[in-house]
Amino acid sequence: MRHRARRSTAVGLAAIALTAAGCTQGAEKPASDYKEADGKAAAQRWVSEEFTPSTLSKDQQLAEMDWFIKAAAPYRGMQINVVSETITTHQYESQQLAKAFSEITGIKIKHDLIQEGDVIEKLQTQIQSNQNIYDAYVNDSDLIGTHSRGDYVFPLSDYMAGEGRNVTSPTLDLNDFIGISFTTGPDKKVYQLPDQQFANLYWFRYDWFTDPEIKKQFKAAYGYDLGVPVNWAAYEDIADFFTNKVNGNGTIDGKKVYGHMDYGRKDPSLGWRFTDAWLSMAGNGDPGIPNGLPVDDWGIRVENCRPVGSSVTRGGDTNGPASVYALTKYVEWLKKYAPREAAGMNFSEAGPVPAQGNIAQQIFWYTSFTADMTKPGLPVVNSDGTPKWRIAPSPHGAYWKNGNKLGYQDAGSWTLLKSTPQDRRAAAWLYAQFVTSKTVSLKKSIVGLTFIRDSDIKSDYFSQNSKKYGGLIEFYNSPARKQWTPTGTNVPDYPKLAQLWWQNVATAVTGETTPQQSMDNLAKQQDEILARLERLSQQRQGYGGQCAPKLNPERPAQYWLDQPGAPAPKLADERGKPETLDYDKLIATWKQGN
């Protein structure tokens, strides 16, 4: 999730001694005063009072809870420690679902909430020390390329078929999870179980875009209709219009408005702004879902599943013309069309700004903000509680081709480690299934709006209440959803590679380097890490297996630019003809399945 203050990757063994969870080695199970009758009564109470609405009938919910009661019997009295980042969905789990699980099953749960960077640090420490810190982690599926190449994660496919067979719910229904492909490795094994998921979309002020006078002014200035921008040329025109020209001076109702919002402070969150698919939105890499083949949305070329290079000279696209164009436009729009203070903000500071009422559109907006954007009394909420804003597909850049991914989805997912004692792993797996079960998932989706199950999206509740969410439900019900994917399996060490991005993007924001120099530096540094991982795979036979990096030899850049696909040569026209769509017509096509 991108609600994070920092994304730390520095890991020291000293951290082992400081872990708040305490090294939860297989301590003896304390005596429990739990009675099965009490668990059944608790299930009745929670199902009737809290876990409603649900996609299951009450009888089906109670039957599912009865399975948890029976499966938990060997682990009663244990306290299990799990961790996730601090977002609304996980707060609900920590405050409500952990309590419900304990009362229903007799297994005590301590569900810690910490910053996501700290989650990764604890995870890394447990991996490196082989000492159990937490019994299960919720971490981004962005780490799938790391997890699937290591030997420390217990692949869920193996676990459910073997050691964990007796603690795997018969009603888990993996096919109902909309992000299960994101947590599947190159070996086709499922490594993680999605717990919450959200997309990165285009956000705009529907009330302004449909105002007849504003529409008339835009048409007079640009010669085409104001609407949802299909491409970056139209987004740029709309940004210019609202920042400088609407009502002659860039104001609405006497208040200064802006046609763009972003952030630019040198901070780890600047890295997510790019690794979360900004280059693919511009059009770098190759067509292919989920991540472009053979060149993905980080500009990394793979052969089969082996990363072979980031630099254009190795067949990558991290510093190719499309990527340089992506960085150039980001810096240009930040300086020309966003509030002046945006350049000094990080992700957390910039996130609430559109809710203040002076932003017309945002090209890069996480749907995790939906709940905060629908609070009564906000300048962007109508008196009847419906939003004045809408969300739509992100516009694409000049290099984008049909079949490319078009945006990012985050999937925070449960991960089990081999270093966790077997009994603790089993009890934690029961809790992970409980908080994602059909009994509770619809209510959890209503609270956090981070959908994981197709059955919840298609539920009567969201069908009847879709107007409250500004297009979110329509998006998740549309076929367009499949073009939004997380970081994929091509990235072999997410923590090490991700930290390079913010450091190199920041120098372009400040002007210390040109966009080309920034991307050249990034590509070179990524290749250095890939080379290090290649050497590691040779020293430790089996590391990464057939998917370990093996760098291509360098060739002149022109050799690769002359080949079909990515990296593509620089376009003579990087703007193209602006194009917009009527939002209501777009929604109608989604509902028709187009």
Side-chain angles (χ1 to χ4, degrees):
M1 165 66 181
R2 268 48 191 176
H3 257 311
R4 35 196 157 197
R6 54 190 284 269
R7 190 168 210 162
S8 169
T9 54
V11 179
L13 291 180
I16 299 167
L18 302 175
T19 52
C23 291
T24 54
Q25 297 294 348
E28 280 194 28
K29 186 175 70 172
S32 172
D33 57 3
Y34 172 93
K35 295 182 179 62
E36 192 169 303
D38 294 337
K40 288 179 179 290
Q44 282 274 0
R45 187 175 68 254
W46 281 97
V47 164
S48 299
E49 297 175 8
E50 180 64 27
F51 303 150
T52 180
S54 171
T55 56
L56 301 181
S57 69
K58 186 174 180 181
D59 286 346
Q60 288 172 321
Q61 288 179 287
L62 291 173
E64 189 167 61
M65 293 299 98
D66 195 52
W67 179 86
F68 278 101
I69 290 171
K70 288 179 170 59
Y75 314 104
R76 287 196 182 117
M78 294 177 69
Q79 176 175 297
I80 298 304
N81 301 311
V82 302
V83 68
S84 64
E85 59 179 309
T86 306
I87 63 169
T88 302
T89 296
H90 297 318
Q91 287 170 342
Y92 180 69
E93 291 168 343
S94 178
Q95 295 164 11
Q96 295 288 336
L97 299 186
K99 181 182 179 184
F101 181 78
S102 295
E103 291 182 4
I104 292 168
T105 66
I107 301 171
K108 298 185 177 83
I109 294 291
K110 185 172 184 284
H111 185 149
D112 286 349
L113 302 176
I114 60 179
Q115 292 293 335
E116 190 195 3
D118 297 323
V119 173
I120 300 301
E121 186 168 324
K122 301 294 186 193
L123 179 69
Q124 294 275 84
T125 302
Q126 182 160 338
I127 291 165
Q128 292 188 4
S129 68
N130 207 35
Q131 298 292 311
N132 195 52
I133 299 171
Y134 283 102
D135 303 310
Y137 292 79
V138 180
N139 63 95
D140 282 1
S141 72
D142 292 341
L143 276 82
I144 184 63
T146 318
H147 291 337
S148 62
R149 287 177 175 85
D151 58 1
Y152 53 86
V153 166
F154 208 136
L156 293 182
S157 294
D158 294 347
Y159 183 73
M160 292 185 291
E163 178 189 302
R165 184 169 46 207
N166 293 333
V167 285
T168 297
S169 170
T171 55
L172 179 59
D173 193 4
L174 284 182
N175 291 333
D176 193 37
F177 285 79
I178 61 174
I180 204 69
S181 64
F182 305 156
T183 60
T184 301
D187 54 6
K188 308 305 179 189
K189 291 181 181 181
V190 175
Y191 281 78
Q192 302 168 275
L193 183 71
D195 179 89
Q196 48 87 1
Q197 190 171 322
F198 58 91
N200 189 336
L201 296 170
Y202 170 75
W203 179 97
F204 70 106
R205 285 292 297 269
Y206 178 79
D207 56 337
W208 294 352
F209 277 52
T210 55
D211 181 285
E213 177 56 30
I214 291 176
K215 289 176 69 175
K216 181 180 174 183
Q217 291 179 33
F218 184 86
K219 182 77 174 278
Y222 298 95
Y224 62 95
D225 291 331
L226 177 61
V228 173
V230 173
N231 54 22
W232 284 12
Y235 183 86
E236 191 169 68
D237 285 347
I238 295 167
D240 176 55
F241 172 71
F242 280 103
T243 304
N244 300 311
K245 297 178 181 176
V246 64
N247 294 322
N249 59 358
T251 64
I252 294 178
D253 297 328
K255 184 178 180 180
K256 178 73 186 104
V257 299
Y258 297 90
H260 177 61
M261 183 59 203
D262 218 319
Y263 61 96
R265 188 202 294 178
K266 187 175 183 179
D267 176 271
S269 65
L270 192 58
W272 327 323
R273 173 65 181 78
F274 275 73
T275 59
D276 290 358
W278 183 244
L279 269 59
S280 74
M281 292 163 65
N284 97 309
D286 284 305
I289 301 297
N291 295 99
L293 291 170
V295 181
D296 77 350
D297 52 302
W298 281 36
I300 298 174
R301 176 177 287 269
V302 295
E303 293 175 1
N304 296 319
C305 60
R306 281 193 188 277
V308 296
S310 302
S311 301
V312 171
T313 52
R314 299 185 192 272
D317 201 9
T318 304
N319 60 333
S323 301
V324 173
Y325 158 81
L327 179 54
T328 301
K329 283 299 176 187
Y330 157 77
V331 174
E332 179 185 334
W333 294 344
L334 176 67
K335 294 182 176 179
K336 290 174 70 173
Y337 305 124
R340 182 175 298 177
E341 59 271 20
M345 290 180 171
N346 64 17
F347 170 84
S348 300
E349 294 161 342
V353 171
Q356 296 167 10
N358 67 335
I359 304 298
Q361 61 171 359
Q362 186 165 334
I363 193 170
F364 197 90
W365 187 82
Y366 291 100
T367 62
S368 54
F369 286 119
T370 305
D372 291 336
M373 280 284 213
T374 55
K375 291 179 179 175
L378 287 175
V380 295
V381 176
N382 292 310
S383 58
D384 65 357
T386 57
K388 296 179 181 180
W389 52 266
R390 298 289 187 274
I391 51 180
S394 308
H396 55 72
Y399 289 84
W400 191 86
K401 302 160 286 295
N402 283 328
N404 277 48
K405 71 182 282 185
L406 192 46
Y408 173 84
Q409 282 202 67
D410 189 292
S413 305
W414 287 102
T415 307
L416 303 180
L417 300 185
K418 292 179 179 177
S419 56
T420 300
Q422 182 174 336
D423 58 343
R424 304 193 67 83
R425 184 162 53 235
W429 175 234
L430 286 172
Y431 178 66
Q433 293 172 95
F434 178 84
V435 300
T436 58
S437 67
K438 289 183 180 179
T439 291
V440 307
S441 66
L442 178 55
K443 179 60 183 288
K444 190 175 83 169
S445 295
I446 294 167
V447 172
L449 298 176
T450 55
F451 306 102
I452 53 170
R453 287 188 176 271
D454 193 55
S455 55
D456 292 333
I457 296 164
K458 291 181 165 58
S459 67
D460 291 341
Y461 177 86
F462 282 115
S463 296
Q464 294 162 9
N465 291 278
S466 62
K467 67 179 182 179
K468 294 181 181 179
Y469 305 112
L472 181 64
I473 309 306
E474 288 82 354
F475 169 77
Y476 271 106
N477 269 315
S478 78
R481 181 183 81 202
K482 294 179 180 177
Q483 287 182 280
W484 275 255
T485 63
T487 301
T489 58
N490 294 1
V491 178
D493 191 330
Y494 185 93
K496 285 189 176 68
L497 289 163
Q499 68 179 325
L500 302 176
W501 288 69
W502 64 275
Q503 298 169 23
N504 286 292
V505 169
T507 59
V509 175
T510 60
E512 296 168 61
T513 55
T514 66
Q516 182 71 65
Q517 289 168 335
S518 291
M519 300 313 280
D520 285 345
N521 292 340
L522 173 61
K524 181 175 182 290
Q525 291 165 22
Q526 284 202 155
D527 282 347
E528 288 170 353
I529 287 179
L530 293 180
R532 205 175 308 151
L533 293 173
E534 180 180 354
R535 290 193 297 273
L536 179 63
S537 72
Q538 294 165 349
Q539 294 162 6
R540 283 172 48 197
Q541 212 166 12
Y543 170 81
Q546 296 300 309
C547 297
K550 187 173 184 178
L551 284 178
N552 279 336
E554 288 199 89
R555 293 175 178 256
Q558 196 59 47
Y559 168 83
W560 288 105
L561 294 171
D562 288 342
Q563 304 304 310
K570 183 176 174 64
L571 293 172
D573 176 13
E574 288 189 327
R575 176 173 163 82
K577 182 182 178 182
E579 183 182 352
T580 57
L581 281 174
D582 179 89
Y583 177 77
D584 295 307
K585 290 179 181 175
L586 171 67
I587 293 295
T589 63
W590 277 357
K591 289 180 177 177
Q592 292 163 10
N594 297 322

